[in-house]
Amino acid sequence: MSDVPKTHPRYLSLTLRDKIVAGVEQGITSIHGLMAHGRGEAFDYLIGETTQPFAIEAIHAAAAMLCLAEHPVISVNGNVAALAPEALIELGQVLNAPLEVNIFHTETGREQKIRAYLLKHGASDVLMPTTEARLSFIDSNRKFVHPDGIFKADVVFVPLEDGDRCEALRKMGKAVVTVDLNPMSRTAKQASITIVDNVVRALPLLCDEIRNFNDSTAQDTLKKYSNAAVLQKALQHISRSGNGN
Ligand code: ATP
Ligand code: MG
């Protein structure tokens, strides 16, 4: 890690950069992931680098959807593995849901490296892509999935997702919960629930919500939830911050 002093005004942001760079150096994160991270940083700047009420609303609904799911699965890519391995593993534990590696760029054994990294951080098991099960409506490497994981899932948690696969999962009738700082991305628009927040802030909050899950109000929460309305609130927030408010 670089020597960023804690007093630096951008300390947290720079720490996350260090984690992504370390991820690339360890072969966990794709070099393309640096660009995805940069895009996320820009949107994080615009939302104020804190969890906003529209994210809290989405986290509340996401907890309900994931807890009511019959077979929830957590999809892991190279960025989220580098940024928040412990929180991902904790989410799997509180939900009793498997983690499954699913990435776009499969250079030099990256899938295996992500798996090993998660196991090293305490994951009990990590599902891997197979050729036995494939997603429809998608041509990239991300179509290869595990038959007992994403293939079977009714709800898939896919932070920092690519729009193509989000669309394919939805077309296959699966519900998608995502975390995406860009409320305008195709993923954000197509997901069932979009948490517009940094994944490092959102994951611990989501774990807390799941721990405090209340079965009697969950259906009602989901009935009232509108992802389009939440994305609209995020966009309004961004445009207000542009006006200095
Ligand atoms: P889409 O394919 O959905 O239209 P995209 O092509 O613009 O999106 P991708 O590279 O496919 O973007 O996915 C990366 C997404 O992840 C971006 O929308 C980016 O804002 C978001 N992102 C990057 N880092 C983070 C982070 N730490 N927390 C949450 N979201 C992030
Ligand atoms: Mg994309």
Side-chain angles (χ1 to χ4, degrees):
M1 296 274 161
S2 67
D3 261 346
V4 184
K6 283 209 164 122
T7 49
H8 192 291
R10 308 216 51 71
Y11 174 75
L12 279 178
S13 172
L14 294 174
T15 307
L16 294 187
R17 258 187 208 189
D18 279 349
K19 287 190 178 175
I20 284 287
V21 169
V24 173
E25 284 167 356
Q26 292 170 70
I28 292 165
T29 308
S30 164
I31 197 139
H32 302 87
L34 295 176
M35 283 172 260
H37 185 77
R39 193 190 313 247
E41 272 188 353
F43 278 100
D44 208 5
Y45 206 102
L46 290 170
I47 69 163
E49 294 176 327
T50 51
T51 302
Q52 299 293 342
F54 47 80
I56 300 282
E57 188 181 342
I59 288 170
H60 190 59
M65 184 172 270
L66 288 163
C67 289
L68 292 177
E70 267 174 38
H71 191 63
V73 174
I74 301 160
S75 179
V76 180
N77 72 10
N79 280 50
V80 73
L83 288 174
E86 291 92 358
L88 273 179
I89 294 163
E90 192 183 347
L91 181 64
Q93 284 164 352
V94 293
L95 263 184
N96 196 19
L99 303 178
E100 178 170 335
V101 175
N102 186 280
I103 61 177
F104 190 81
H105 303 279
T106 52
E107 64 273 21
T108 55
R110 200 155 67 79
E111 288 160 335
Q112 286 300 340
K113 286 181 189 157
I114 294 173
R115 178 167 189 270
Y117 190 72
L118 292 170
L119 293 175
K120 196 180 91 188
H121 279 82
S124 51
D125 191 20
V126 179
L127 301 179
M128 296 298 280
T130 71
T131 49
E132 287 156 48
R134 289 170 202 221
L135 296 181
S136 316
F137 313 109
I138 187 156
D139 295 324
S140 75
N141 174 69
R142 303 194 79 176
K143 68 176 175 246
F144 298 112
V145 288
H146 196 287
D148 298 324
I150 291 170
F151 188 74
K152 200 170 104 182
D154 54 345
V155 180
V156 195
F157 178 70
V158 263
L160 282 60
E161 177 57 339
D162 179 57
D164 289 3
R165 194 171 68 118
C166 182
E167 189 177 1
L169 292 168
R170 297 290 283 138
K171 279 191 188 160
M172 287 183 78
K174 298 177 192 298
V176 173
V177 176
T178 193
V179 183
D180 192 331
L181 279 158
N182 176 4
M184 286 172 277
S185 74
R186 288 172 309 148
T187 302
K189 288 186 197 150
Q190 279 166 15
S192 320
I193 297 177
T194 306
I195 302 166
V196 182
D197 197 11
N198 198 308
V199 74
V200 300
R201 293 192 300 267
L203 274 175
L205 296 173
L206 182 59
C207 289
D208 284 349
E209 280 274 347
I210 289 169
R211 265 189 228 100
N212 300 323
F213 173 68
N214 180 342
D215 202 9
S216 61
T217 54
Q219 292 284 6
D220 202 40
T221 300
L222 285 180
K223 239 180 259 153
K224 286 186 187 145
Y225 182 80
S226 159
N227 205 46
V230 162
L231 293 179
Q232 204 48 44
K233 287 179 201 174
L235 285 170
Q236 277 163 3
H237 174 85
I238 288 173
S239 62
R240 275 199 305 273
S241 59
N243 290 328
N245 297 316

